[in-house]
Amino acid sequence: MPMAATRKKAISSDILIIEDEQFLCNLLVRKLENSGFRVRGAFDGEAGMKAVEEKKPGLILLDLLLPGMDGWEVLRRLKGDKRFQDIPVFIISNLGEPGDIARGKKAGAVEYLIKAEYSPQQIVEKVSHVLS
Amino acid sequence: MKFSIGAKLFLSFVLILFFGGAMGVYFLVVAERALQNAVGQSSLFLAEDLMERIDKDISDKIEQIQLYTKDNPLQLALEESNKFFEELKDISGYIAREDEAWRAIPENELSPLMRDLIENNISGTLRQEFLEFWQQKYGFPVYGEAFVTNRYGVNIAETGRTSDYYQADEEWWQRAEQEGFFVSDVEYDESAQTWTMSLGVRIDDEQGNFLGVLKAIPVAEKLFRQVELTGKRYQTTEMKLLTKDGSLIYSTLPFEMFEDLSSKPFFQQAREGKGFFVSQEKEQKRLFAYTRSTGFRDFPGLQWVLLISHDTQEVFSSIQDLKRTLGVGGIGLLALTIFFVAVLTRTILVPLRKLMSVAEYIGKGNLSMRINLKSRDEIGQLAKTFNEMAVKLQESHESMENSVQERTRELEQRVQDLDRTAKLLVKRDFEFMQANEFLREMDEAKSRFVSIAAHQLRTPLSGVEWTLQMLLGGDFGKLRKEQKDVLLEAYGILQRLVAMIKDLLSVAHIEEGRMAFKFSPLSLEALCKKVFEASVLAAENKKITLKLVVPSRPLPQISGDTANLAMALQNIVDNAISYTREGGSVEIGAKRNNGDMKGVRVFVRDTGVGIPEDQKALVGQKFFRADNVARQKVYGTGLGLYIAKKILERHDGKLEFESKEGKGSTFFFTLPFSQE
């Protein structure tokens, strides 16, 4: 397994996953940890923002459809805050229409990944590419 | 300024009257002057005639006296007396003594010499010739006295006592001796107590020797009376004879002898020559004609002035009559004019005004007004025509009003109908809108359901997919071969499910109108190539030969949405691969279309199962699957061609096909060249 190598490399990288579907969230956490990243998970917008306040992450994977504060609002707050606006944000969602994608890019997302079209392995590759 | 016709008529008549009057006055003046000239001229002729008669009479008297001086006894007596005086030693002394003695005799006494002179032969003849002859002829004496002197100026015979014996010291005697005769002007004779003239005539013998002078003294009044200075022309005609100094010596009216008239205007005006004029005298205007005595033959005349005058009232009575006639005529004409104007006004203006006021009433809309005129002239005709016009106007107005009312009623009816229809329409529209709204809501609900369902399906599917991927990727530990095969099969099925959901989402997007199209120029050959490459693996898996057929020379670009067109072509190719058995072939191609539509034709030809003839019409419908493919248990949703068809329609293209069951199908569409 090439895990040791990747873990060492990404030791300082902290990834925050804001995803209300716990099963999917756990799958991603496991996949990213297996790839050597330190990962935190949050199941709604408020928890996500709290996690960001506690410790500024190196990258955020953000779902859009969330209970309470949705992903759009989280993105807006992050990009409106000088402390956090430099954090790269990947939107991971099943809202895959061109309008949504354009809106996400405009709001400041680095990537817009449709869940159905990307496997966990592909997501890791995208994240690694940004954090390296 | 505006004048009414009446004023104009009246003005015209006044003008005509004025000019007529002016002409009348002018003619009167001309006639008066002409008459004045005529009367003046004739009076002047009369005056000249009378004056000549006076002068001729005086001349005749002188000639009579001259004739008498040739009398033999007179000549002899004078010769004898002259001889007597010739022989005297002191002629002038003698004469002076005798003259003094003569004048010393009182007036009522006679000396022997006087008596001898009065009663001698010669004086008898004188008395006979000068006094008695005229007395007998006219019944009144023309001469007052007559006497004869010898050449030394002393009396030799006389008809009565003279005041002096010696005459040669007097003017008349000297002038008579020198000039042959002398006529004195009228003067007052103290001895005779009367106004007389003196006619002195020189007496010569047959040899022309001076013998003496004869003096005859006519009474002035009687002299003119004898001349018969009548010549009355008019009742008021008056004749005056004045001396050259303006003293009146005769008049046809009672007059005072020698009255001084030199200061009278008529005398002032008659100063020169002859003529006539009109002058105011007292309260009368008189026409004067005047002339001066200029003598007759040897008699040079005494410059007397003869004036004949008439009262102008009488002379111009004809003019006055004319004036009166004209005045009466003028007044008559004026009255006639007023009458005429009144008649004209009544027959023309009054009806015209009536006509005007009725026309005004009609103009204001009172169409029932009529004119009541009985006259049959042009105005009556006009009124009749006007009434006919008014009747027609009223009729047409009424018919118009009726038709307007009718139209209004019709319009109201139509408006009501329309209103009813409109209400109905509004109601229907409302109902329709409600129904439409309901349908739209239903449709939206359906699409929303599809969309949400598809989306909600994707999340758990993603979970399953990711789990399978991670399992197969070894994230959960190494798998046995048997485990891995089963998972791969599950993953394959899952892939189909994902594709199906993707198709459902596409349909939902298309039907909600949410599918975004971004048109730009693109190459259909490149698109074919892209889809060909994406399909190579699937074809290989089914052992199907996949071919790409494009022309060597690049085709013109068309305008389209790359992603959506790729999806459409992919669906068609997926379909072809799905329904072609192992060993078959699928051909993807593009070529220039030169038919009705200039553009690029894309075709997908397969050697598949084909489409049954009776179901061709259903191809492209949502969820349609032909019986033959359904029986073969080939995987498919029946949405692929529907999506492709819809996308192509948005590109002005039409999905068409040719198919034969069991042999294969060819699907094709043509997109027009890009406009630029």
Side-chain angles (χ1 to χ4, degrees):
Chain A
M1 287 290 286
M3 276 180 197
T6 50
R7 184 174 289 151
K8 253 182 249 163
K9 191 176 95 185
I11 219 137
S12 60
S13 301
D14 180 0
I15 296 168
L16 176 65
I17 301 171
I18 307 173
E19 166 66 70
D20 64 329
E21 192 62 51
Q22 292 189 25
F23 178 67
L24 284 178
C25 189
N26 289 338
L27 277 176
L28 277 176
V29 169
R30 184 172 187 124
K31 181 71 185 175
L32 285 166
E33 278 179 347
N34 285 350
S35 304
F37 297 101
R38 276 201 298 134
V39 186
R40 283 183 290 160
F43 300 131
D44 58 38
E46 282 80 4
M49 282 311 291
K50 204 177 158 195
V52 172
E53 291 281 346
E54 278 171 8
K55 187 171 182 285
K56 185 179 170 185
L59 187 143
I60 297 172
L61 293 176
L62 178 65
D63 192 9
L64 289 174
L65 296 179
L66 299 169
M69 188 196 296
D70 67 7
W72 297 115
E73 179 61 19
V74 173
L75 185 58
R76 196 186 65 76
R77 289 195 184 185
L78 286 170
K79 291 301 163 188
D81 194 324
K82 280 184 178 176
R83 292 171 296 166
F84 310 126
Q85 62 189 8
D86 61 331
I87 303 171
V89 176
F90 282 23
I91 289 173
I92 47 167
S93 172
N94 269 327
L95 294 175
E97 286 161 44
D100 294 327
I101 296 166
R103 187 181 168 196
K105 288 278 173 70
K106 202 180 170 190
V110 177
E111 290 283 351
Y112 194 109
L113 307 175
I114 295 165
K115 289 175 193 167
E117 292 175 4
Y118 287 87
S119 63
Q121 181 58 38
Q122 285 170 319
I123 293 169
V124 169
E125 282 164 12
K126 288 271 182 191
V127 168
S128 302
H129 186 254
V130 169
L131 286 179
S132 62
Chain B
M1 230 171 137
K2 276 185 181 171
F3 287 112
S4 69
I5 292 178
K8 283 175 188 166
L9 270 174
F10 184 73
L11 213 68
S12 314
F13 282 121
V14 164
L15 271 172
I16 289 167
L17 272 182
F18 175 75
F19 283 118
M23 264 168 78
V25 168
Y26 175 73
F27 284 136
L28 271 177
V29 167
V30 168
E32 197 170 1
R33 194 168 300 158
L35 191 64
Q36 182 180 315
N37 279 338
V39 173
Q41 204 63 52
S42 83
S43 300
L44 181 58
F45 288 151
L46 177 66
E48 280 181 322
D49 189 38
L50 287 176
M51 198 69 236
E52 196 178 273
R53 275 163 66 184
I54 290 168
D55 282 344
K56 184 175 181 290
D57 192 62
I58 292 169
S59 177
D60 284 353
K61 291 278 185 296
I62 292 164
E63 280 176 6
Q64 281 164 16
I65 294 166
Q66 281 173 338
L67 185 66
Y68 171 69
T69 59
K70 304 300 176 191
D71 181 58
N72 217 29
L74 179 63
Q75 298 249 330
L76 287 172
L78 279 168
E79 277 171 13
E80 201 176 317
S81 172
N82 285 338
K83 200 174 265 177
F84 171 77
F85 273 84
E86 254 172 51
E87 289 163 1
L88 286 175
K89 281 188 178 162
D90 180 14
I91 299 169
S92 55
Y94 176 80
I95 290 170
R97 277 193 306 275
E98 286 294 321
D99 186 51
E100 204 173 320
W102 185 287
R103 278 182 287 161
I105 305 295
E107 279 191 26
N108 52 353
E109 287 176 28
L110 290 171
S111 65
L113 177 63
M114 290 175 188
R115 193 164 290 131
D116 180 43
L117 290 183
I118 290 169
E119 286 169 5
N120 65 17
N121 259 356
I122 300 302
S123 60
T125 319
L126 282 178
R127 209 171 288 115
Q128 207 178 341
E129 283 283 330
F130 290 96
L131 305 185
E132 287 163 12
F133 174 78
W134 297 105
Q135 176 74 46
Q136 280 167 9
K137 189 170 169 99
Y138 296 122
F140 59 84
V142 173
Y143 288 98
E145 59 175 324
F147 60 92
V148 180
T149 71
N150 65 10
R151 57 183 288 191
Y152 298 101
V154 296
N155 293 355
I156 64 154
E158 54 188 21
T159 56
R161 177 190 161 169
T162 58
S163 51
D164 295 321
Y165 177 61
Y166 180 64
Q167 309 292 342
D169 56 346
E170 296 200 23
E171 190 201 357
W172 64 267
W173 192 94
Q174 291 165 3
R175 294 273 299 272
E177 189 211 345
Q178 284 159 23
E179 297 164 18
F181 68 91
F182 172 75
V183 181
S184 82
D185 215 323
V186 176
E187 55 203 353
Y188 191 69
D189 188 341
E190 301 264 342
S191 57
Q193 301 274 308
T194 181
W195 292 89
T196 60
M197 290 172 69
S198 304
L199 302 176
V201 175
R202 199 175 79 166
I203 305 167
D204 296 317
D205 65 8
E206 277 173 18
Q207 286 76 43
N209 298 314
F210 175 54
L211 296 176
V213 176
L214 189 154
K215 184 184 180 186
I217 300 168
V219 179
E221 193 191 340
K222 301 289 174 7
L223 178 72
F224 302 134
R225 194 171 160 194
Q226 170 252 317
V227 175
E228 289 178 358
L229 294 173
T230 47
K232 270 200 163 201
R233 284 287 164 90
Y234 301 96
Q235 294 291 323
T236 58
T237 300
E238 186 194 352
M239 196 210 73
K240 279 188 174 73
L241 188 64
L242 291 87
T243 64
K244 64 178 177 183
D245 301 320
S247 298
L248 182 63
I249 50 177
Y250 185 77
S251 172
T252 49
L253 295 177
F255 69 102
E256 189 189 334
M257 196 63 177
F258 239 66
E259 186 186 353
D260 186 10
L261 300 177
S262 61
S263 59
K264 294 280 183 185
F266 58 81
F267 182 74
Q268 300 287 332
Q269 274 184 272
R271 271 285 159 91
E272 302 284 331
K274 58 186 180 181
F276 53 91
F277 56 86
V278 173
S279 176
Q280 188 76 34
E281 197 191 2
K282 286 170 197 167
E283 270 153 39
Q284 272 187 355
K285 235 176 158 181
R286 295 186 73 87
L287 173 68
F288 287 90
Y290 68 95
T291 187
R292 252 153 239 284
S293 76
T294 48
F296 193 83
R297 290 187 194 155
D298 295 337
F299 174 53
L302 295 167
Q303 293 299 307
W304 287 347
V305 178
L306 183 75
L307 280 151
I308 292 177
S309 69
H310 323 279
D311 186 353
T312 49
Q313 265 189 342
E314 193 191 359
V315 173
F316 298 143
S317 62
S318 55
I319 296 280
Q320 295 302 328
D321 286 349
L322 195 63
K323 274 183 185 168
R324 215 165 295 126
T325 310
L326 278 178
V328 169
I331 288 165
L333 207 64
L334 188 69
L336 208 68
T337 301
I338 290 166
F339 174 73
F340 195 52
V341 169
V343 167
L344 266 181
T345 308
R346 185 143 180 79
T347 56
I348 295 174
L349 292 184
V350 169
L352 266 183
R353 283 209 191 108
K354 231 177 185 176
L355 202 68
M356 207 165 78
S357 73
V358 170
E360 233 166 69
Y361 269 113
I362 287 177
K364 282 174 185 164
N366 196 343
L367 296 181
S368 59
M369 284 296 284
R370 297 287 179 274
I371 305 160
N372 184 21
L373 282 183
K374 287 185 185 81
S375 68
R376 286 170 143 194
D377 56 9
E378 286 90 339
I379 291 183
Q381 199 64 38
L382 179 64
K384 205 179 142 204
T385 312
F386 187 90
N387 280 342
E388 283 166 9
M389 183 199 78
V391 166
K392 276 182 188 156
L393 198 67
Q394 191 177 15
E395 280 172 4
S396 84
H397 185 262
E398 276 166 4
S399 81
M400 200 167 77
E401 221 157 48
N402 284 342
S403 84
V404 164
Q405 279 179 359
E406 206 172 300
R407 287 279 162 81
T408 309
R409 264 199 302 280
E410 278 174 21
L411 269 176
E412 276 170 0
Q413 190 61 43
R414 284 209 190 150
V415 166
Q416 279 178 3
D417 289 354
L418 271 175
D419 209 34
R420 216 172 297 129
T421 311
K423 275 178 187 161
L424 214 64
L425 271 174
V426 166
K427 202 178 156 201
R428 289 271 165 80
D429 192 46
F430 183 70
E431 286 171 357
F432 187 70
M433 247 170 59
Q434 275 188 325
N436 203 35
E437 180 69 12
F438 178 70
L439 279 173
R440 202 176 60 76
E441 276 172 13
M442 286 284 285
D443 208 45
E444 263 180 24
K446 187 194 79 186
S447 289
R448 212 163 40 243
F449 168 74
V450 171
S451 179
I452 289 167
H455 186 259
Q456 292 303 322
L457 277 170
R458 284 174 93 171
T459 304
L461 272 176
S462 293
V464 176
E465 199 178 8
W466 284 2
T467 306
L468 288 176
Q469 283 168 349
M470 282 170 73
L471 275 171
L472 286 166
D475 286 289
F476 297 101
K478 201 169 167 66
L479 296 175
R480 281 185 286 123
K481 170 108 176 36
E482 197 184 346
Q483 287 173 322
K484 198 172 180 175
D485 287 347
V486 173
L487 280 176
L488 270 173
E489 205 163 317
Y491 186 67
I493 292 163
L494 190 71
Q495 287 292 304
R496 286 191 208 161
L497 194 59
V498 167
M500 207 154 92
I501 288 164
K502 199 182 159 195
D503 281 354
L504 277 171
L505 268 174
S506 292
V507 170
H509 283 169
I510 286 168
E511 291 189 343
E512 283 175 58
R514 278 166 60 207
M515 184 172 265
F517 285 86
K518 201 176 166 194
F519 287 85
S520 58
L522 61 90
S523 163
L524 280 177
E525 296 147 271
L527 195 81
C528 287
K529 198 177 173 204
K530 189 178 163 187
V531 172
F532 169 80
E533 280 165 1
S535 307
V536 166
L537 198 63
E540 255 174 37
N541 287 341
K542 270 195 90 177
K543 295 188 172 61
I544 288 169
T545 314
L546 191 64
K547 287 187 217 164
L548 178 68
V549 184
V550 287
S552 52
R553 282 174 64 190
L555 294 167
Q557 290 190 315
I558 62 102
S559 178
D561 183 295
T562 309
N564 287 325
L565 275 179
M567 190 199 293
L569 186 57
Q570 187 72 63
N571 283 357
I572 295 166
V573 172
D574 284 351
N575 224 40
I577 292 170
S578 295
Y579 302 127
T580 301
R581 294 191 187 92
E582 279 188 17
S585 71
V586 171
E587 218 175 85
I588 304 169
K591 63 179 182 183
R592 180 185 284 267
N593 185 54
N594 289 323
D596 289 345
M597 185 192 254
K598 297 250 184 288
V600 179
R601 170 178 281 209
V602 175
F603 61 91
V604 177
R605 185 179 299 129
D606 66 56
T607 54
V609 293
I611 301 160
E613 200 65 32
D614 60 334
Q615 290 177 14
K616 279 182 180 172
L618 300 172
V619 171
Q621 284 195 0
K622 209 160 39 169
F623 301 114
F624 165 75
R625 298 192 73 206
D627 292 345
N628 53 350
V629 292
R631 276 196 304 273
Q632 287 172 5
K633 295 182 184 168
V634 175
Y635 162 76
T637 54
L639 289 173
L641 288 183
Y642 173 76
I643 292 165
K645 188 181 150 194
K646 287 287 168 192
I647 289 171
L648 290 172
E649 278 170 7
R650 285 296 303 269
H651 286 79
D652 295 330
K654 191 179 170 192
L655 182 61
E656 292 168 290
F657 67 91
E658 288 163 359
S659 184
K660 208 169 182 186
E661 199 174 3
K663 295 274 179 166
S665 308
T666 302
F667 281 81
F668 57 91
F669 59 89
T670 305
L671 297 184
F673 292 139
S674 168
Q675 292 301 312
E676 65 250 49

